[in-house]
């Protein structure tokens, strides 16, 4: 993936999240100098296996598991400092040295206790099915010019003014929701003052730092969270997250120029999942729903919530390829399909007798859509030990070839298990 013309690569989810982005970043980080997280917050959960050891990373980029790789949390992330420090402490306890390798953008907005409280009490958050981690209210305060950034910890007077505005707004929201809970300025400031020394020690102008690294010829991975269909502009609104999850948000959230992006790797599962409410046109009925959820261990890394599962949706992924400008595709969890007799790929939606082959912005169309499927024979053989595309069963190659044709993006990587060495295509990339 990295070469002399592709020094800056974005890794983005091309479905509804949980596609395996963290795993791809982890293996690609071996050839990177920097890994930068560019949006979202602690609502993300990137699961990485190193041998038999499982790591779940929420805010720290997956590249932290490679000694020598520097990691940055960009200005587009809404940072939960308390969660960040718990994550750091867990890594250190597991023998991962983060000293001098982790940077936090001084421009990043912070998730404060009142954001989580508002999120937990909000009827709209519950209706959409958010994680309740305060992400939406923090982005709302950011847009409302009352957000608190990391750099504000250096200026006590300004910090108090911003917290006063945030607390007043939060208490108004809580009262409007019928909650009797309230927050205070002094309690909020006390928690921030306790966190400030440790957080400011990590704070940098990360956009400038990464820009200088690129100028020096460094290889940089930009890591997104969630998936393209959860993008605030391009996703299934209003059942979306509060940030731009697509590749266009990578430059903004990392603080570098759009012209610095050289490659965009879209990550998809070999089937489809989503967490929370909102449309999922290819969703399985029971008992297939429970069977696939069990086969794929489809439970959220952050919340533990059961994921909804369905057949691979080519309409969704082709749309994601277009809005992201994907240069490459990685297909994960192919091995989960090993035992199935037949598989389907959705190639269009039929609505009131009309076939739609492009993903609609109007969700009312999806509410009445009947997926149009192409059916494929299953391979009924284990793929976990396969290490080349040619070594895959013929039926699996046919399935992947159809995905590649529908999405109009070359498949560069195929994952057939949870371990680092179970990614087909990695050897070719390292040799390139």
């Amino acid at each position: 993936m990295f070469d002399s013309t592709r020094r800056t690569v974005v890794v983005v989810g091309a479905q509804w999240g949980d596609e395996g982005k963290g795993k791809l970043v982890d293996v690609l980080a071996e050839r990177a100098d920097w890994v930068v997280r560019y949006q979202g917050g602690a609502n993300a959960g990137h699961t990485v296996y190193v041998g038999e050891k499982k790591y779940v990373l929420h805010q720290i980029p997956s590249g932290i598991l490679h000694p020598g790789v520097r990691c940055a949390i960009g200005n587009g992330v809404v940072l939960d400092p308390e969660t960040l420090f718990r994550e750091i402490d867990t890594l250190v306890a597991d023998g991962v040295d983060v000293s001098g390798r982790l940077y936090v953008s001084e421009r990043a907005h912070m998730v404060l206790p009142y954001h989580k409280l508002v999120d937990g009490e909000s009827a709209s958050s519950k209706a959409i099915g958010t994680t309740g981690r305060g992400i939406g209210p923090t982005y709302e305060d950011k847009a409302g010019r009352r957000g608190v950034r990391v750099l504000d910890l250096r200026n006590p007077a300004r910090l108090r003014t911003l917290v006063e505005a945030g607390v007043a707004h939060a208490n108004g929201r809580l009262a409007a929701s019928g909650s009797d809970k309230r927050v205070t300025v002094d309690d909020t400031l006390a928690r921030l003052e306790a966190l400030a020394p440790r957080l400011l020690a990590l704070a940098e102008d990360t956009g400038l730092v990464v820009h200088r690294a690129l100028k020096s010829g460094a290889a940089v991975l930009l890591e997104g969270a969630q998936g393209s269909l959860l993008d605030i502009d391009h996703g299934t609104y209003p059942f979306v997250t509060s940030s731009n999850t697509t590749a266009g948000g990578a430059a903004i959230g990392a603080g570098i120029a759009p012209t610095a992006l050289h490659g965009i790797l879209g990550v998809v599962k070999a089937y489809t999942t989503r967490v929370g409410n909102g449309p999922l046109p290819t969703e399985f009925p029971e008992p297939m729903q429970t069977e696939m959820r069990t086969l794929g261990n489809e439970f959220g890394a952050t919340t533990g919530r059961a994921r909804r599962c369905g057949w691979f949706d080519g309409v969704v992924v082709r749309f994601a390829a277009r809005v992201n400008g994907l240069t490459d595709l990685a297909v994960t969890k192919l091995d989960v399909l090993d035992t199935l007799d037949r598989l389907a790929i959705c190639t269009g939606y039929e609505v009131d007798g009309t076939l739609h082959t492009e993903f609609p912005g109007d969700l009312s169309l999806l509410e009445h859509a009947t997926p149009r499927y192409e059916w494929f024979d299953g391979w009924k053989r284990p793929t976990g030990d396969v290490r080349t595309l040619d070594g895959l069963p013929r039926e699996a190659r046919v399935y992947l070839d159809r995905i590649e044709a529908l999405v109009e993006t070359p498949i560069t990587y195929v994952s057939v298990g949870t371990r680092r060495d179970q990614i087909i295509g990695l050897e070719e990339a390292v040799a390139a």
Side-chain angles (χ1 to χ4, degrees), residues 44-49 53-60 62 65 87 90-91 94 300-303:
H46 291 172
T47 303
V48 177
Y49 288 84
K53 178 66 179 177
K54 176 181 177 181
Y55 297 89
V56 180
L57 301 169
H58 298 283
Q59 296 180 102
I60 298 176
S62 305
L65 300 176
E87 196 170 338
T90 298
L91 287 170
D94 284 336
T302 298
T303 64

Side-chain angles (χ1 to χ4, degrees), residues 39 99 131 148 175 254 264 351 417:
Q39 50 77 222
S99 178
T131 61
V148 180
I264 301 169
V351 183

Side-chain angles (χ1 to χ4, degrees), residues 324-353:
N324 285 290
L326 297 184
T327 58
D328 300 82
L329 199 66
V331 179
T332 65
K333 288 197 165 185
L334 184 71
D335 57 301
V336 174
L337 306 179
D338 285 351
T339 61
L340 301 185
D341 293 313
R342 300 178 72 217
L343 303 93
I345 293 176
C346 175
T347 60
Y349 310 136
E350 192 170 316
V351 183
D352 298 328

Side-chain angles (χ1 to χ4, degrees), residues 194-233:
L195 294 167
R198 192 176 182 187
L199 186 54
L200 287 174
L202 302 175
E204 291 281 355
D205 183 347
T206 55
L208 177 60
V209 171
V210 175
H211 169 77
R212 287 174 173 168
L214 288 170
K215 285 284 191 181
S216 71
V220 177
L221 271 176
L222 303 179
E223 179 181 12
Q226 291 86 42
S228 298
L229 275 293
L230 294 175
D231 186 281
I232 187 69
D233 286 290

